[in-house]
Amino acid sequence: VQTCALPISAQANMATASLNLRQNQLFVQRQINQIRVDVQNALIGVNQARAQYQAAVKGRVLQEQTLDADQKKLALGATTVYQVIQDQRDLTTAAAAEVAAQAAYATARVQLDVASGMTLQNNNVEFDEAKAGRVVKGPSPLPAAAPTK
């Protein structure tokens, strides 16, 4: 059996390289774990924002029905103008909440695209086209949450 003794400096260099390799592997694993957490959080955010939007749509529809019913009651003399005005105010508030929820949903979708690295693909952006300064396809439309029945 023949043994080969490495000089002390070579052994130190090898130990340093081995340590650097392990540190880099740990760094990469931490990055992978962080990406997984970011994507999962963004997905949860999209689901919550979609549910809020759907609830806001239902709230607006309910306020429209309430206003319609009270306008009919007013025509029959069964309610007051004040009540109809309050219903109109409530409908406006519900419509504003719907718009805010839709904006929050769009923001959550963008955050998911960023976290998953899908921003360019989901907006039909071709890297070569963007680099050349010309765009063949327009962006994809804003995602819409389908109302539940």
Side-chain angles (χ1 to χ4, degrees):
V1 174
Q2 188 177 15
T3 61
C4 179
L6 292 173
I8 299 285
S9 64
Q11 290 176 358
N13 287 344
M14 190 166 168
T16 301
S18 179
L19 179 63
N20 285 341
L21 174 63
R22 184 65 185 139
Q23 286 175 335
N24 288 339
Q25 288 171 335
L26 290 172
F27 176 76
V28 168
Q29 189 58 50
R30 275 195 303 265
Q31 292 296 96
I32 290 170
N33 291 344
Q34 187 60 50
I35 290 168
R36 286 182 179 146
V37 167
D38 290 347
V39 169
Q40 188 63 35
N41 287 342
L43 190 56
I44 290 168
V46 166
N47 289 334
Q48 288 175 341
R50 181 184 301 120
Q52 288 173 337
Y53 173 70
Q54 290 170 340
V57 168
K58 287 181 180 181
R60 179 196 40 83
V61 168
L62 180 62
Q63 283 307 131
E64 286 174 345
Q65 293 169 348
T66 301
L67 175 60
D68 184 54
D70 280 346
Q71 285 175 333
K72 290 175 182 174
K73 286 181 185 178
L74 179 65
L76 297 173
T79 193
T80 64
V81 172
Y82 179 73
Q83 181 61 47
V84 172
I85 291 171
Q86 283 183 320
D87 291 341
Q88 290 171 338
R89 179 207 58 202
D90 293 345
L91 176 57
T92 301
T93 301
E98 180 181 357
V99 169
Q102 188 173 24
Y105 177 68
T107 299
R109 286 293 306 258
V110 168
Q111 290 171 343
L112 178 60
D113 286 349
V114 169
S116 63
M118 299 295 290
T119 302
L120 296 178
Q121 182 177 345
N122 289 345
N123 288 291
N124 296 324
V125 175
E126 295 294 328
F127 188 76
D128 292 334
E129 291 176 5
K131 187 176 173 184
R134 60 178 166 70
V135 177
V136 176
K137 294 186 274 184
S140 57
L142 283 177
T148 59
K149 295 178 183 174

